[in-house]
Amino acid sequence: MIHEPDALAHGQEVAALLPVLAQLDQTATELETGQHISAARITAYETQATHARHLLDALGTSATEVAQAEKAHRGDGDKGFAIRGLDHATHTRRFESTEPAVSQPDKDRDRDDDHDIDL
């Protein structure tokens, strides 16, 4: 049985997860609806999902607790953001970059350019 102070502290810890889940939900929405997906945004999403998953695991919180915390603290994002963020934390999606691959400069060509400067 959880004592009253322990339950209150746990509730506050779950509420502290809401900004993390809100950011993850926002990033995921941008990736899901965006036509231009950068590798940096994909990395940010994966990092946010890993961070959220770590915090959720450390607290041992449930989806019900997350949903209750969202109802109590509605100001952190669009309705349902916490459960969507939780879903992305537990079932991280794979996104593909829409940016063209950056070619590596030819190292031999760079050395040849240095020799062309002889005046």
Side-chain angles (χ1 to χ4, degrees), residues 32-54:
E32 291 170 343
T33 59
Q35 292 182 10
H36 301 288
I37 300 174
S38 70
R41 276 320 264 166
I42 294 169
T43 300
Y45 166 77
E46 292 169 347
T47 302
Q48 291 167 359
T50 300
H51 179 65
R53 189 170 42 256
H54 169 75

Side-chain angles (χ1 to χ4, degrees), residues 28-100:
T29 300
E30 290 171 4
L31 290 172
E32 291 170 343
T33 59
Q35 292 182 10
H36 301 288
I37 300 174
S38 70
R41 276 320 264 166
I42 294 169
T43 300
Y45 166 77
E46 292 169 347
T47 302
Q48 291 167 359
T50 300
H51 179 65
R53 189 170 42 256
H54 169 75
L55 294 174
L56 290 162
D57 289 345
L59 286 177
T61 191
S62 68
T64 302
E65 290 173 315
V66 170
Q68 289 172 345
E70 178 186 349
K71 286 179 185 175
H73 301 279
R74 186 64 71 183
D76 289 323
D78 294 332
K79 185 176 181 178
F81 76 90
I83 296 301
R84 289 189 306 270
L86 178 64
D87 183 51
H88 280 279
T90 57
H91 301 96
T92 306
R93 310 321 189 260
R94 289 197 40 91
F95 293 97
E96 297 288 327
S97 176
T98 59
E99 293 180 333

Side-chain angles (χ1 to χ4, degrees), residues 110-119:
D110 288 343
R111 283 189 221 128
D112 289 341
D113 289 343
D114 291 340
H115 296 292
D116 291 340
I117 301 177
D118 296 334
L119 295 176

